[in-house]
Amino acid sequence: MIGVLGATGAVGRTAAGRLAALGAGGLRLGGRDAARAAEVAETLPAPAEVVRVDLTDPDELARFCAGCRIVVNCAGPTYRVLDTVARAAFAAGADYVDIGGELAAKDALSGGAVPRERTAVFSAGVMPGLSGLLPRLLAKGRPPRRLDVYVGGAAVFTPLSAVDALLTRGPRFGVPMAAWREGAVTPLAPLHGVRLPGFPEPVHAWPYLTTEAQTLAAECGADEVRSYNVFVSDRIPHALSAAWAAVPDVHAAPIETLRPYAAEVVRASVLDNAGFGAFYVMLFTARPHRGAPAGPTRVLLTAVDSYALSGVVMALTARTVLAGRVPPGAHLAAEVLDPDATVTALRDDPLVTQLSVD
Ligand SMILES: NC(=O)c1ccc[n+]([C@@H]2O[C@H](COP(=O)([O-])OP(=O)(O)OC[C@H]3O[C@@H](n4cnc5c(N)ncnc54)[C@H](OP(=O)(O)O)[C@@H]3O)[C@@H](O)[C@H]2O)c1
């Protein structure tokens, strides 16, 4: 049995659909609204069980996980869920894949919380996820002088994703207006009205040195990594800044306090989307050292729906875990997925408009 928690969401619906199509086992769909989960079940190519579950209720969560080989968690807010669902999955003898969590969730499982035979993979979406995985194609066997990451576009935020965007603050998540240069975090200015390959309009690129980008820099030996969140206007960065000014300690704030600010982020994204239409671009460029062996210097992925694409990545990650190709322990998807195999799988995917490695 494969348990898909959050199966009615923007990410979860696609993850459930792709897992059903893989035929890797029976599916159990979970969320607080069982009727909505039943509607999703109706759309799947094979029968699926529906279980009502609120992940904040330990008994309901235990019942949901019981009998699963793997629990695929697409519910959030991921930076509040952290290791909660992973621990319930382990208690039921299941492996685990999570749409987010990053180092904060992985750290929460340190000190022996992962049973000896069990595997957990966090951050198995587009960002975090593909944003840390795909640049590795540019660094294989030849550490670059500089690696640039540009991710974004004009997607409408779901309210839950907007809450998570507010929670990407603090040392375990990233450093705004910063780059990684020769082992140190250094200041980096935003780019305004810049034309970038793959982006249909001039865009604004705001530096955000995620922990994922820092890990990438350390693992691929890049002298410098510049990582940007890309927007079609300054509305979303301004909505986020206003929220952080009003609620400086977002991690201590109750979700109810964050909701009005999340609504402003959603509103900003709706306005961006109205002006430009939906698009999502992941652009990675490498500048090699002089004399480095020849190899690709640019990866470009474009899509319309980044949430659905995250669902595809979740299903690919779950398939990799089920095939026994991820060792026991807690990992981030970017560290354990094979970048070449992922590109091969995504290139033929109808949700990917373009994927080139040049
Ligand atoms: N890594 C990435 O690239 C990436 C990309 C997109 C999104 N995300 C993250 O993925 C998560 C889901 O985003 P989304 O846009 O798909 O959100 P969404 O459309 O609101 O879907 C959330 C899903 O989780 C369920 N859910 C919410 N709270 C729950 C709870 N307490 N217990 C059980 N189920 C619950 C919802 O169903 P009910 O309301 O019926 O419970 C729904 O099925 C967010 O945390 C978001 O930040 C990550």
Side-chain angles (χ1 to χ4, degrees):
M1 182 66 72
I2 300 173
V4 184
L5 186 54
T8 57
V11 173
R13 274 193 303 267
T14 302
R18 294 308 173 87
L19 286 164
L22 283 175
L27 287 195
R28 178 179 297 162
L29 310 185
R32 291 164 302 179
D33 184 339
R36 266 202 320 147
E39 279 166 27
V40 172
E42 291 283 301
T43 67
L44 300 179
E49 258 180 57
V50 168
V51 172
R52 201 213 89 90
V53 50
D54 184 333
L55 69 84
T56 62
D57 180 320
D59 293 335
E60 287 186 16
L61 189 55
R63 271 198 296 279
F64 177 79
C65 295
C68 289
R69 286 164 69 199
I70 186 165
V71 174
V72 177
N73 179 30
C74 308
T78 173
Y79 303 123
R80 286 286 161 89
V81 171
L82 294 175
D83 56 333
T84 308
V85 186
R87 285 177 186 267
F90 295 153
D95 290 322
Y96 184 68
V97 175
D98 193 295
I99 183 63
E102 300 191 60
L103 285 182
K106 192 178 156 186
D107 289 353
L109 289 177
S110 61
V114 185
R116 207 151 45 93
E117 301 295 313
R118 294 276 69 86
T119 299
V121 182
F122 292 96
S123 299
V126 291
M127 185 176 203
L130 292 184
S131 48
L133 179 71
L134 296 181
R136 286 164 203 254
L137 291 164
L138 305 178
K140 227 178 346 176
R142 40 180 213 130
R145 187 163 56 77
R146 179 174 142 189
L147 202 52
D148 285 15
V149 173
Y150 302 91
V151 178
V156 173
F157 276 68
T158 62
L160 198 55
S161 293
V163 169
D164 265 330
L166 292 171
L167 291 171
T168 55
R169 191 124 181 105
R172 296 315 281 153
F173 300 95
V175 189
M177 303 301 160
W180 175 269
R181 198 168 299 131
E182 279 159 9
V185 176
T186 55
L188 182 66
L191 306 170
H192 292 290
V194 65
R195 286 196 177 276
L196 294 169
F199 289 84
E201 301 284 338
V203 286
H204 306 286
W206 288 82
Y208 189 66
L209 184 65
T210 56
T211 50
E212 183 183 63
Q214 292 177 51
T215 306
L216 175 70
E219 286 189 4
C220 75
D223 293 348
E224 182 174 353
V225 173
R226 300 183 180 193
S227 179
Y228 297 91
N229 289 331
V230 181
F231 306 97
V232 295
S233 82
D234 285 334
R235 289 184 192 103
I236 295 173
H238 287 164
L240 291 169
S241 303
W244 290 327
V247 190
D249 190 356
V250 279
H251 293 285
I255 294 291
E256 287 316 317
T257 304
L258 298 179
R259 278 197 213 287
Y261 299 100
E264 284 303 309
V265 173
V266 172
R267 207 172 70 83
S269 73
V270 169
L271 290 173
D272 278 1
N273 193 260
F276 293 87
F279 69 89
Y280 193 73
V281 180
M282 308 188 86
L283 169 68
F284 309 98
T285 60
R287 300 180 191 200
H289 284 284
R290 190 169 299 150
T297 55
R298 189 178 91 171
V299 178
L300 177 62
L301 182 154
T302 64
V304 174
D305 185 342
S306 58
Y307 293 88
L309 186 57
S310 287
V312 173
V313 178
M314 286 290 277
L316 288 174
T317 309
R319 184 178 71 177
T320 308
V321 172
L322 285 167
R325 293 202 296 271
V326 181
H331 312 275
L332 302 182
E335 297 164 3
V336 290
L337 293 182
D338 177 346
D340 292 297
T342 306
V343 165
T344 304
L346 291 179
R347 214 174 237 145
D348 294 330
D349 198 287
L351 289 170
V352 175
T353 322
Q354 179 190 354
L355 177 48
S356 56
V357 182
D358 305 305

